[in-house]
Each structure stands twice: as C-alpha cells, then as structure tokens.
Amino acid sequence: MRVPEKYSTLPAEDRSVHIINICAIEDIGYLPSEGTLLNSLSVDPDAQCKYGLYFRDGKRKVDYILVYHHKRPSGSKTLARRVLHSDVTQTARSVKQDQPLPGKGTLVEAGGPEPPMDYHEDDKSFRREEYEGNLLEAGLELEHDEDTKIHGIGFVKIHAPWNVLCREAEFLKLKMPTKKMYHINETRGLLKKINSVFQKITDPIQPRVAEHRPQASKRLSYPFSREKQHLFDLSDKDSFFDSKTRSTIVYEILKRTTCTKAKYSMGITSLLANSVYSAAYPLHDGDYEGDSVEFNDRKLLYEEWASYGVFYKYQPIDLVRKYFGEKIGLYFAWLGVYTQMLIPASVVGIIVFLYGCATVDENIPSMEMCDQRYNITMCPLCDKTCSYWKMSSACPTARASHLFDNPATVFFSVFMALWAATFMEHWKRKQMRLNYRWDLTGFEEEEEAVKDHPRAEYEARVLEKSLRKESQNKEKLRHTPEEPPNKWKQRVKTAMAGAKLTDKVKLTWKDRFPAYFTNLVSILFMIAVTFAIVLGVIIYRISMAAALAMNSSPSVRSNIRVTVTATAVIINLVVIILLDEVYGCIARWLTKIEVPKTEKSFEERLIFKAFLLKFVNSYTPIFYVAFFKGRFVGRPGDYVYIFHSFRMEECAPGGCLMELCIQLSIIMLGKQLIQNNLFEIGIPKMKKFIRYLKLKRRSPSDHEEYVKRKQRYEVDYTLEPFAGLTPEYMEMIIQFGFVTLFVASFPLAPLFALLNNIIEIRLDAKKFVTELRRPVAVRAKDIGIWYNILRGIGKLAVIINAFVISFTSDFIPRLVYLYMYSKNGTMHGFINHTLSSFNVSDFQNGTAPNDPLELGYEVQICRYKDYREPPWSNHKYDISKDFWAVLAARLAFVIVFQNLVMFMSDFVDWVIPDIPKDISLQIHKEKVLMVELFMREEQDKQQLLDTWMEKDRKREELCNNHTPKASPDSPAYHGGAL
C-alpha cells in the first residue's frame, strides 16, 4: 500500500481531531462494484415493499437500515455514477491505482469542467462504498434509496438471505426450537387445584397475548447447526428466524465487517462515530395505530402493554423479549417483580401508619406536651431575636410525630429488611425461570464473545498512539548517525522492527493516568459541591428562622418551623433535580475520557460513577436531618456557631423524625412526579412540538411532501435513538433506596413507590413502542451490575434503619425511662425527664432575648432538650449519667438489631433456593431428551449403514453365486498360472 507517505504528510494537530482526517482520501475516480447498488424501478413500489418493510421486489425483508447524509450531485457527477451499471466498472477498478490524488489532477467530461468537491464528503462516500462492498462479500444483500422525502438523507436497506442466517446462527450458537416436543411436568394434587383457582381469578388481568398463556408442552431447543437442519422445523423458512433474531445476526456482521482503505480498520461503530453513517437501526414491525394497519407485534404490544388502560394487567414479558430482546425483557420483568413485591410492603406500611393514627390520643408523651397545665418554658431557638416559648405550642408537631415514631415502626423496619432479602431471592428465581423459558441456560461463553468488540473511541486512541510511535521512530532514524554497513546487524534490526509492528498496541495505565486523575478530582469536587449546597441550605434555614422571628405577626412567628422546613426542602428538591441532570452528563464525560475498551466495561464504569454521584446528591440532605441535625448544637450559654455568627439549628421538641419524614416524602414524591414522569412525558412532547414548528416554517411544497406517507425506515429515522437502560434502572434504584434506607421514618414510602411504578411501567412501555427507534436485541441472562447494587443497598438499609430508630427517634429513650426511671411503670414524666434546666443569668453577652417579657412574665429558668446537670448542681451543665445510660442502650440496640436482621436475611437467602426445583428438573429432563435424540439419530444412521452393508454383502454373494466354477484341468483350479 502507498499509505505511509500520506500519513507522514499530515500535521500533528490534525491527528487528534477526527479519525477521518488521519485516513487517506482515495481517488475521485473510485467506482464501486456492479452489485453495490440494487436500485430497481417499478410503477408503484410502495404497494410491493409494504412501505419500506421489504425491498422493491416485495419479497426480501429489510433486516437493517444504514443512514447517511449526501449532497445532490451535479449533472457531471450524476453521469459518472450512471456508469456503475456498465461493463466499464471492472476496468475502472483495475486502473484506479494509477489515477492522481484529489487536487493533483482534473477530470474533464463532455458536460464541462468538474465543480469543486468536498474531499471530506468524498472520502466518506468512498468508505461507504468499500464497506458496502465488503458487506456484499459477507453475503448480505443491499438496496439504496436516496430519493426519499427527507432531503439530503440516503438509506441503505440490508437483507440477510437464508444461507447467511444459517451460517451466523451457527456461529453465534443461537438456540432454536427443534421438532421434538415434550410435556412440561405439571403439578398434582392440592397444588394443582390451587394453581387452577389462581389462574381463574387472575384471568381478567392477564394480557390477551398467546405467549403469556401457560404452556403444557415445550419444544426442545438446540444450538443451530447447518449439518443438523433436519432436527429443526424448517417448513416455513420466512418465520423460522424472527425479526429480532434477523436484526441481531445482521448487526453482528456489521460489527465484524471493516473497511481498510487506510491503515485504520473501521467497523460500523467507528463509521458511526465519524459520521460516515449517521444512524444504524433495525426496523419496527409496522405502524401501531389505525384500523387499516396490518396486525403485527408492535401493534399488539401497544394495545396490551403500552397503554394506560391496561395498567392493572400483567406484562406480556415473553412478547417484549420476542420484540426487543432479552436485555430489555429482563428490565421490564425485574420492574414488574419489584412492583408486585411493593404491594405487601405497601399494605404493611398502611397498617403501621393507621396504628399510629389510632394510638395518637393514647400517647402519654405527646399528651403531656400538649397539656398547658405543665407550663414548661423553653429556651430561645436563636440569639437576640428569638424569645422564650411554651412547649405546648409544639403540640401539633408532637402529635404528628407519633404517626411515624411508634413501636410499630421497629417492626416495620425489620419487616422491610426481610422484604428486601425476599425480593432479591424471588427475583433470582424469576430470572432463572425466564432463562429456562428463553433458552438462555449455559449462555456465559456466547455473552463474553459478543461483548469483547472494542469501542470506536478506543480504536481511535490506539491508532493515535501507534501513529505517534511511528513518527517518533522516524525522528530517531533521521537523527541517528550512519554506521558502516553490517548485513547481519541490518537483518536483525529489520526482523525486530517487523515484530514491533505486528505487536498490537494497547492503552496502558500510563496512557489513562490523566483521565483517572481527572475522574478522582472531579468526583471529589462534585461531592464537595453537594456538601456545600447542603451547608448553604442549613445557613438559609438558620437565617430565615431568625428573620421570621422578628416579624410582628403572631401567626408568622407561630409557624416559623413549618415555613422554614417546607421552603428548605423545596430548595433541596430543585437543586437535587438540577444536579441529577448535570451529574449524569459529567459521569458520561468522565467515563468517555477513560476510553474503556468494550461496551460492557464502559457501561459498568458509567453506572458506578452515575450511581455514586446521584446517591450522594439525593440522600445527603436526608442524612443531615437524620444523623447530624441537633447533634452538635451545644447548650444555652455555650452554643456551637458556623462562621462565628450562625448558631446550629436544633430539632423540634418531639425529635427530628417528623422533619425527616417531611424531607423524605417531599424529595421522593418530587423526584418521581417531576423528574421521572413529567420530564419523561414533557420532553418528548416538547421535541415533537419543536419538529412541528420547524415543519410549518418550510415552504408549502415541502410541507406537502412531508405529509405524504413515508417509508417505514423514514418514519423510524425521525424517532429518538435508544440511549440504553442505565437511566431507567437508575431512577428505580434511587427509588429503592428511598423505600428501604429510611423506611423507619416514612412507612408510606412503599405505597407511593407502588403508585409511581404502575405509571412508570406503562410510561416506559409507551416510550419504547412509540417514541424510540427499535433497539438491537441483546442477549443477557441477568440484570448485571444492578443486582449487586441492590444487594448493597439492602445491606446498607439494615444499618441505617438501626441508627434511625436508635438515634433519630425517641424509641430507645422511652424504653430506658420506662424500665429504669419510671416510678409507676408508665410513660408519665418522660418529657420532664428528657429536659434540662438553664439559668437565664448564664447567657453569654449579646445572646439573651431582646424581649424577655414576651410571654408576660419574667423567666429565670428555661428548659432545653438534653441530658445535663441542672444549674444548682456542683457540676452544672455537665453531661449527666442519664445521657451515658441512654447512649449505651442506643449502641446496644444498633448491634442487636443489625445482627439479628442480618441473620434473618441470610436465613431467608439460605432457605429459598436460587433455582426452583421444577426448573432444575426440567433442565435435567431436557439434557436427557437431547441425549436420547442424538442416540436415536446415531442408531438410525447405524441401522441405515448396516442396511446398506447388508445389501452390498448380498449383492456380492449373488455375484459370486453366478460366477462359473473352474474345471480341474484349468489353471485357476491349481492356483493359477505358474
């Protein structure tokens, strides 16, 4: 090849900008082979090709579409492209090596001088022609369509013929159903009756889809083999490979095929990354709306799955898998199992909440707080502007706090920990059933082989590194002084140089160190930004409370705590939603600069970074209220200040649990309503509206052209490209954290999650069916790294709930008082026991209230919530013994609760087997049947071979019997001639 000279002439700055710029531009006169374009003309092509689902002949299905931008050629260039169908193509191909490079010569035709060309666009077209030629050599059939209703867009329709499908199915080891049918083991006795009753009860909520009905028999599946085609039912070859399988096979060929005009080998991922092609996607099966639309799987999914009117029905998971592939099918199956498991959690949460409502009037501590006869005067909540206040004014907060802080809360925390463990085990069993039903058992080898294909960005970085090494080697050779010739030494050097060139260049940790360092610094910076925002909200709450305390309106002053809490939570919610979007983009950028080698590695790194940032962003305000607010306040006369001016805020007299509940509920509901639902509904609608406005600005002729019915591939091109399942999983994982991590403070969290998910399933379904291009079907046997994240959240939830019950709620102090300090075995006197006394004469200078007589009397002793010695003690204001007793009880509870719940979770994990017994028996039965099938086949072959051998032996005997016997005088009788 004559490429090294071309590479050496490129400036260094161009090499890092675009891969195309590194590659040599071939000659203008390059002409593709005769078979590259299969443009066939007919009078009414749309009637035959079913509006783009078939080739123009109406027989060959369109399995995949490649899209590219093109410019309308001038008359001379059109004439040049017309030559494609003549016999001159082979001659042009043979002499193209001798033609000059673009810019070094001028081609003149009869029509006049050639207009100036865009060499970059020409290079893209030449690459497309070479790539499509290689696809033809791989056995695919192509058809071009540039005369489309979308100006400047060309489409390449790809069809995989039968022999290519068989070859690739064997290569990919795709399991296909054989002719052999066998009966699935049915349950008997009482279990069978229960199942039949359950099926009758649930029949109204089953989707009207054939695949969803329970099957009594199943076809035996076996990896496809061309040598064993007789095992498979090939009576209808058109439907043997469904559209999902056909598109998967074509995509594997597209990934494997490359164009190698220059040194850099470009596959479909690199061609897409460098805009040689603008899109590549399989087609939807057809339209989903309209009475005249031919019935297809997409229309069935729209009616039985992607409609809000069927929200109460089960999902047709088998049909989802058939249409979108196993990976997307597993996501919706997991989401369905998670939503179903939220039903019992919601019921128990409602019972716990109702128990709190029923016992609120029997709660002695809240009754004492509301009793004005106690006349407890509390210390000011802020310096100067705040005055003394009566504890009875906090009565509503105390009563509301009991709804979420009662003995049933501890039971609910234990229940939710066991619920999380049961959910994980139930999902593993469901996943195993799906693997068996979808013929994914023993899938690990194929999965790794498919996902090892390097990403385009990785290949580009490897190319840049190899070019850099070559230029450095050339510089060294240029400056090296010449030595006397030594033939042996030159041979050794040549051999070593050849070995170095053949070595594959890889990216080492040194190449990635700047990216790793940038990742570390950026993640730490963004976490610091989150903490800074939380600190800013804290300062806002403190300053807002002080400002409202100076208000002359009594109603404003009486609702200071509610006003400050509500506004601060709304600010937190807005910041969380905005930062979530920012952090998602930053996480993707940080992953890109790492340049992971494979898509699997890229996805896992992206998930880890995005989850870490969004976890910190979503839960930091809640962690602050749960574990830090009111813990480092100090005491009257010796408060803790931020920046020497802002006093740390305290919890309400009833504790911080009520505020934690408000914080958690508003953030959870706000994220679900605004971020998950309104954004997912509103953003696509807005994009459609923008497209409509652009359409109205066009000329009337273009508008009429646009209104005409488009081909299927034109309609699908206007849909949004599929961006992966990471955003869908992420919002559900964050919700799972809200449901499990702080469930002790908000028992209604599972209920709100359930209501959200009922809408979310149909919303996601509608998005996949109507608004997104059809994604390439990807095989997967599990949900990947998300399962480990779920397990981690489940384990963390046990620890956090133990600390919430122990340190945030008053559950432990109440138990300590009841069994150690109560005189009559009741909770009477508990409030007085938790309050310490302070002499107002001990206030620091400038911190006493400006209006000490606001209550109408002079205050000498005020109370505050803490366990400290009274002012008349010898060690006044020191921490009392009660504090240490309560702290010891809190820590003991954390240890006991955590170990007990962890043990119970592990016990549930151990008791419930990962693989259902009936599935393991069916898998074993399939293996036995497969062995029997092949043994029978071998026996039939042996019998046939024995029959042929018997026939040959009889024929030989028959021939020998008809041969005349030798006479005694003949030479043959005496052993032949001497």
Side-chain angles (χ1 to χ4, degrees):
M1 290 181 69
R2 43 176 185 166
V3 290
E5 294 80 5
K6 297 180 184 179
Y7 285 123
S8 61
T9 56
L10 287 173
E13 59 268 20
D14 288 344
R15 295 178 183 172
S16 61
V17 177
H18 209 279
I19 300 173
I20 291 291
N21 295 344
I22 306 170
C23 307
I25 300 176
E26 289 290 344
D27 305 328
I28 300 174
Y30 176 77
L31 296 174
S33 61
E34 185 177 356
T36 303
L37 297 180
L38 298 176
N39 292 322
S40 58
L41 301 176
S42 58
V43 179
D44 187 11
D46 292 342
Q48 292 234 345
C49 71
K50 294 185 180 180
Y51 289 96
L53 289 173
Y54 288 81
F55 275 22
R56 292 291 183 186
D57 56 13
K59 297 178 181 179
R60 290 171 291 176
K61 288 183 179 179
V62 177
D63 299 319
Y64 220 86
I65 289 292
L66 299 179
V67 187
Y68 59 92
H69 291 273
H70 69 90
K71 295 183 178 180
R72 296 287 183 185
S74 61
S76 56
K77 292 187 72 175
T78 306
L79 182 62
R81 290 184 65 86
R82 297 285 184 189
V83 182
L84 292 175
H85 295 284
S86 69
D87 296 332
V88 188
T89 52
Q90 300 299 327
T91 309
R93 177 181 290 184
S94 63
V95 300
K96 76 182 182 76
Q97 299 291 339
D98 301 326
Q99 292 178 349
L101 285 172
K104 296 185 179 181
T106 308
L107 295 178
V108 182
E109 293 190 6
E114 182 72 23
M117 294 183 178
D118 185 347
Y119 297 130
H120 195 63
E121 291 298 322
D122 287 340
D123 184 68
K124 288 182 181 180
S125 65
F126 296 149
R127 289 193 176 281
R128 286 195 294 269
E129 289 167 356
E130 185 197 0
Y131 183 71
E132 290 160 16
N134 293 338
L135 291 180
L136 289 170
E137 292 179 3
L140 297 178
E141 297 177 4
L142 312 180
E143 185 177 81
H144 277 236
D145 185 7
E146 291 187 356
D147 187 20
T148 63
K149 298 177 181 65
I150 307 176
H151 293 299
I153 300 295
F155 295 89
V156 182
K157 295 173 277 186
I158 302 177
H159 169 76
W162 173 255
N163 60 332
V164 173
L165 293 173
C166 294
R167 181 192 73 205
E168 295 298 322
E170 183 177 358
F171 174 71
L172 295 173
K173 300 180 182 178
L174 296 179
K175 279 190 175 182
M176 305 300 294
T178 62
K179 296 177 183 177
K180 175 69 177 177
M181 300 278 293
Y182 69 96
H183 290 283
I184 298 174
N185 293 335
E186 296 182 359
T187 55
R188 297 179 180 178
L190 180 62
L191 193 60
K192 182 178 180 180
K193 292 181 180 178
I194 294 174
N195 287 341
S196 63
V197 171
F198 181 76
Q199 287 177 6
K200 289 180 181 178
I201 294 173
T202 59
D203 186 65
I205 60 174
Q206 297 288 351
R208 297 294 176 257
V209 178
E211 288 85 352
H212 199 77
R213 294 177 187 134
Q215 302 292 332
S217 59
K218 185 177 184 289
R219 285 188 179 272
L220 194 65
S221 295
Y222 183 73
F224 187 82
S225 172
R226 286 174 289 181
E227 295 179 357
K228 302 185 185 305
Q229 288 192 32
H230 58 279
L231 296 177
F232 304 93
D233 184 11
L234 302 180
S235 56
D236 186 6
K237 290 185 177 181
D238 291 337
S239 62
F240 182 73
F241 295 106
D242 57 13
S243 59
K244 181 249 315 178
T245 307
R246 297 174 71 98
S247 63
T248 302
I249 288 174
V250 173
Y251 183 64
E252 290 300 320
I253 299 175
L254 292 175
K255 286 200 300 183
R256 195 172 64 236
T257 306
T258 58
C259 60
T260 55
K261 277 188 176 181
K263 185 173 181 179
Y264 181 46
S265 166
M266 299 180 73
I268 186 61
T269 53
S270 299
L271 293 171
L272 288 170
N274 290 277
S275 302
V276 177
Y277 290 102
S278 58
Y281 52 88
L283 291 179
H284 281 292
D285 280 357
D287 291 325
Y288 58 89
E289 284 183 310
D291 298 331
S292 60
V293 173
E294 185 178 349
F295 202 76
N296 54 68
D297 286 343
R298 189 188 187 194
K299 183 177 177 61
L300 184 59
L301 282 172
Y302 180 75
E303 293 176 353
E304 293 293 329
W305 181 53
S307 174
Y308 293 112
V310 294
F311 72 92
Y312 58 92
K313 289 188 177 183
Y314 285 99
Q315 299 182 87
I317 292 298
D318 291 327
L319 184 60
V320 174
R321 172 252 178 180
K322 178 186 174 185
Y323 193 79
F324 291 110
E326 287 78 8
K327 191 170 185 178
I328 294 175
L330 280 172
Y331 163 70
F332 282 103
W334 172 82
L335 185 55
V337 170
Y338 171 47
T339 304
Q340 288 176 12
M341 288 294 293
L342 282 172
I343 296 174
S346 303
V347 171
V348 177
I350 292 171
I351 293 173
V352 170
F353 179 73
L354 293 178
Y355 170 81
C357 295
T359 58
V360 68
D361 292 330
E362 301 172 5
N363 184 36
I364 295 174
S366 62
M367 290 171 62
E368 287 185 351
M369 287 186 67
C370 295
D371 194 348
Q372 297 185 4
R373 293 176 297 175
Y374 280 89
N375 195 26
I376 298 176
T377 304
M378 303 296 293
C379 295
L381 295 175
C382 62
D383 295 341
K384 295 183 181 180
T385 55
C386 299
S387 185
Y388 306 104
W389 55 285
K390 290 287 188 69
M391 173 169 274
S392 57
S393 64
C395 177
T397 306
R399 289 175 63 85
S401 179
H402 178 73
L403 303 179
F404 307 99
D405 187 7
N406 54 68
T409 304
V410 181
F411 160 76
F412 190 57
S413 299
V414 177
F415 171 81
M416 287 304 294
L418 297 179
W419 173 87
T422 308
F423 162 59
M424 302 304 294
E425 291 305 310
H426 179 46
W427 166 243
K428 281 197 288 188
R429 290 168 65 84
K430 177 71 173 180
Q431 186 173 261
M432 197 63 209
R433 289 186 183 277
L434 293 176
N435 284 342
Y436 165 71
R437 230 159 63 199
W438 296 348
D439 298 320
L440 290 172
T441 52
F443 170 66
E444 291 79 8
E445 299 83 7
E446 297 91 350
E447 183 183 35
E448 294 303 318
V450 169
K451 292 185 177 180
D452 276 342
H453 187 76
R455 297 175 63 248
E457 291 81 358
Y458 179 85
E459 291 180 339
R461 280 288 298 275
V462 168
L463 174 64
E464 291 177 12
K465 185 177 179 181
S466 62
L467 291 176
R468 199 159 46 243
K469 280 188 176 181
E470 284 187 14
S471 62
Q472 290 174 359
N473 292 336
K474 288 180 181 179
E475 288 295 327
K476 287 181 181 179
L477 291 174
R478 188 179 301 171
H479 296 290
T480 303
E482 293 186 2
E483 297 179 359
N486 187 334
K487 292 183 179 180
W488 175 251
K489 197 172 182 180
Q490 286 179 354
R491 286 181 183 178
V492 173
K493 281 185 176 181
T494 305
M496 290 178 66
K500 287 180 181 177
L501 287 174
T502 54
D503 286 343
K504 186 167 179 64
V505 180
K506 297 181 179 179
L507 296 183
T508 61
W509 68 270
K510 292 182 179 178
D511 300 319
R512 290 194 172 103
F513 179 75
Y516 290 153
F517 183 75
T518 305
N519 270 260
L520 179 62
V521 172
S522 300
I523 290 174
L524 292 177
F525 174 74
M526 285 182 284
I527 292 175
V529 167
T530 304
F531 290 161
I533 290 173
V534 172
L535 180 62
V537 174
I538 293 171
I539 295 173
Y540 162 80
R541 293 157 67 113
I542 296 170
S543 56
M544 192 70 177
L548 291 176
M550 293 187 291
N551 196 292
S552 58
S553 174
S555 60
V556 173
R557 291 202 302 271
S558 61
N559 296 316
I560 289 176
R561 192 177 294 276
V562 176
T563 305
V564 171
T565 301
T567 55
V569 172
I570 292 172
I571 293 172
N572 271 325
L573 174 62
V574 173
V575 170
I576 286 172
I577 292 174
L578 293 177
L579 286 184
D580 258 0
E581 302 300 319
V582 174
Y583 285 170
C585 298
I586 292 177
R588 181 168 290 276
W589 174 74
L590 291 176
T591 309
K592 282 182 178 179
I593 64 174
E594 281 186 18
V595 197
K597 184 175 181 180
T598 61
E599 286 295 337
K600 182 180 179 182
S601 175
F602 178 86
E603 186 179 10
E604 289 180 350
R605 295 185 185 200
L606 173 62
I607 289 170
F608 174 75
K609 293 182 185 64
F611 175 73
L612 176 63
L613 294 174
K614 294 191 176 186
F615 183 92
V616 173
N617 182 42
S618 299
Y619 300 125
T620 299
I622 302 172
F623 270 99
Y624 164 72
V625 175
F627 302 122
F628 296 99
K629 185 178 180 181
R631 300 285 181 270
F632 310 101
V633 179
R635 61 170 180 82
D638 188 21
Y639 284 116
V640 178
Y641 292 88
I642 305 175
F643 307 129
H644 303 287
S645 56
F646 297 102
R647 198 176 98 186
M648 292 293 290
E649 55 183 342
E650 304 176 34
C651 289
C656 279
L657 200 69
M658 185 60 199
E659 189 170 342
L660 176 62
C661 173
I662 295 172
Q663 185 104 1
L664 181 64
S665 59
I666 292 179
I667 290 178
M668 178 182 175
L669 295 177
K671 275 180 67 68
Q672 290 182 168
L673 290 174
I674 299 174
Q675 194 172 25
N676 298 355
N677 294 332
L678 290 182
F679 280 12
E680 289 191 18
I681 296 173
I683 290 177
K685 298 286 185 187
M686 190 181 299
K687 288 182 178 179
K688 285 183 179 179
F689 183 69
I690 292 172
R691 280 197 218 101
Y692 174 74
L693 291 179
K694 288 182 179 178
L695 176 64
K696 288 188 70 176
R697 291 175 186 173
R698 293 180 177 180
S699 61
S701 59
D702 284 346
H703 180 73
E704 291 174 5
E705 186 76 12
Y706 188 83
V707 169
K708 289 181 183 178
R709 184 173 181 184
K710 295 180 180 179
Q711 304 283 357
R712 178 78 263 152
Y713 45 85
E714 295 175 303
V715 175
D716 286 2
Y717 179 69
T718 60
L719 299 176
E720 291 293 317
F722 175 64
L725 289 170
T726 301
E728 313 299 334
Y729 272 114
M730 188 66 69
E731 64 185 64
M732 289 295 106
I733 296 295
I734 295 296
Q735 184 204 83
F736 182 78
F738 283 121
V739 169
T740 55
L741 291 179
F742 299 94
V743 75
S745 64
F746 190 38
L748 295 179
L751 174 64
F752 290 114
L754 173 64
L755 297 176
N756 173 80
N757 287 6
I758 291 173
I759 301 172
E760 181 72 23
I761 290 175
R762 307 303 164 179
L763 185 65
D764 286 347
K766 193 168 186 178
K767 181 171 66 175
F768 273 86
V769 173
T770 65
E771 297 174 2
L772 295 179
R773 293 176 193 161
R774 188 175 182 178
V776 180
V778 178
R779 289 184 295 172
K781 61 182 178 64
D782 52 36
I783 60 175
I785 193 176
W786 297 108
Y787 182 81
N788 298 328
I789 293 176
L790 285 169
R791 284 190 70 88
I793 291 177
K795 299 293 184 185
L796 185 63
V798 177
I799 302 171
I800 290 178
N801 279 304
F803 277 95
V804 167
I805 295 170
S806 182
F807 287 89
T808 308
S809 75
D810 282 339
F811 178 74
I812 300 301
R814 288 172 187 167
L815 287 181
V816 172
Y817 177 79
L818 185 64
Y819 293 107
M820 290 183 63
Y821 299 103
S822 178
K823 296 178 181 179
N824 52 7
T826 64
M827 292 301 296
H828 287 287
F830 171 72
I831 294 297
N832 188 58
H833 177 75
T834 59
L835 296 177
S836 299
S837 300
F838 177 74
N839 193 331
V840 297
S841 62
D842 294 331
F843 271 122
Q844 290 180 346
N845 294 331
T847 60
N850 294 333
D851 186 10
L853 299 176
E854 185 176 344
L855 294 178
Y857 57 88
E858 184 179 357
V859 177
Q860 294 181 348
I861 299 293
C862 65
R863 310 294 296 275
Y864 61 99
K865 190 171 183 180
D866 205 348
Y867 292 100
R868 290 183 180 270
E869 297 290 342
W872 51 84
S873 172
N874 294 330
H875 306 282
K876 66 177 184 178
Y877 307 135
D878 287 350
I879 294 174
S880 64
K881 294 179 181 179
D882 298 344
F883 171 83
W884 300 111
V886 172
L887 179 62
R890 291 182 195 270
L891 295 176
F893 176 82
V894 168
I895 295 171
V896 172
F897 181 89
Q898 176 184 336
N899 285 280
L900 177 64
V901 175
M902 287 285 191
F903 170 76
M904 295 172 70
S905 300
D906 293 339
F907 180 74
V908 170
D909 193 356
W910 175 72
V911 167
I912 303 175
D914 294 346
I915 303 176
K917 187 177 180 180
D918 59 329
I919 295 298
S920 59
L921 291 175
Q922 292 292 348
I923 293 173
H924 178 70
K925 184 178 180 179
E926 277 197 2
K927 291 180 180 178
V928 173
L929 289 173
M930 189 62 67
V931 172
E932 290 179 357
L933 180 65
F934 282 109
M935 289 293 292
R936 192 179 301 114
E937 185 183 1
E938 291 297 324
Q939 289 174 1
D940 293 342
K941 286 182 181 179
Q942 188 64 37
Q943 289 177 1
L944 186 61
L945 185 60
D946 292 343
T947 304
W948 286 348
M949 291 179 67
E950 183 68 23
K951 287 181 179 179
D952 290 343
R953 189 175 61 80
K954 287 182 178 180
R955 192 180 297 111
E956 288 178 2
E957 288 179 357
L958 188 62
C959 292
N960 291 336
N961 290 335
H962 284 78
T963 303
K965 294 182 179 179
S967 63
D969 299 331
S970 65
Y973 185 84
H974 295 285
L978 296 175

